[in-house]
Amino acid sequence: IYFNAKIGTPEGSLFDGSPALNAGMFNIGTKQGVTDQDVWFVLVGKTLPFSAGRIHAGPYLGNGTVLRNSDGDKDNLGFMVGYDKGFFPTKDSAGNEFNRVVIGADYISGDNALGGGGAGVYYYFTKDISLLAGPVWFNNKEINGDMKWTLQLDINLPSLFKK
């Protein structure tokens, strides 16, 4: 079992034209020395001009006891970069706008269990529930094997409990 946590600010909230800022942790594991990758990260994001999508990037630092390359050397520091672009804007019954379809891609450096990239298409059933499908590939095949396919259901729980 892994846990994730994040806090952030939207674009333009700190000053006019400011980027979005996010900080948090992911892959907070429950089994010491096995699943406790405990990755800290900071991301800076910005909407691109001409409705070309959004890009975000930043560093990460994980648990060096767990995040190692296939030679057993510590490999727990790197960077992440991602891109997304939404299509078919719509509104829910409360008037909240969201994109029905989003394409996205991301990459994380490192020859550890995390290193690699992916691309996919999200379909949003509602503002808070989406399904993602696409290929995932890895920097170190000795650890992760060949390319895989992901099918991921995302549910934004805090928003579902708001009144």
Side-chain angles (χ1 to χ4, degrees):
I1 296 174
Y2 291 98
F3 294 94
N4 305 310
K6 173 175 77 170
I7 189 166
T9 64
E11 283 186 60
S13 64
L14 300 175
F15 55 86
D16 190 36
S18 69
L21 300 174
N22 290 282
M25 284 186 78
F26 65 89
N27 288 3
I28 304 166
T30 57
K31 189 167 185 182
Q32 186 175 0
V34 178
T35 63
D36 61 332
Q37 294 174 344
D38 301 343
V39 181
W40 292 89
F41 71 91
V42 174
L43 285 175
V44 177
K46 192 71 174 153
T47 300
L48 299 171
F50 312 111
S51 301
R54 300 181 304 178
I55 191 164
H56 51 274
Y60 76 88
L61 174 65
N63 181 347
T65 303
V66 177
L67 290 176
R68 298 193 170 259
N69 63 27
S70 54
D71 293 328
D73 299 325
K74 183 168 46 169
D75 189 0
N76 64 326
L77 176 64
F79 70 91
M80 305 182 298
V81 63
Y83 169 82
D84 65 82
K85 166 105 173 95
F87 299 91
F88 310 113
T90 190
K91 290 184 181 181
D92 62 17
S93 59
N96 298 308
E97 290 187 34
F98 64 98
N99 289 302
R100 185 68 69 188
V101 175
V102 174
I103 59 168
D106 58 17
Y107 174 81
I108 185 167
S109 69
D111 285 328
N112 54 42
L114 299 175
V121 176
Y122 292 84
Y123 180 81
Y124 280 81
F125 299 97
T126 71
K127 178 178 79 64
D128 296 309
I129 301 172
S130 66
L131 185 65
L132 165 66
V136 179
W137 59 92
F138 304 99
N139 296 341
N140 190 323
K141 290 184 180 181
E142 290 181 50
I143 294 174
N144 292 310
D146 291 327
M147 184 187 87
K148 308 210 180 349
W149 193 264
T150 188
L151 188 62
Q152 177 179 314
L153 177 65
D154 292 321
I155 301 172
N156 185 356
L157 293 177
S159 292
L160 295 177
F161 294 111
K162 287 182 181 176
K163 289 188 177 188

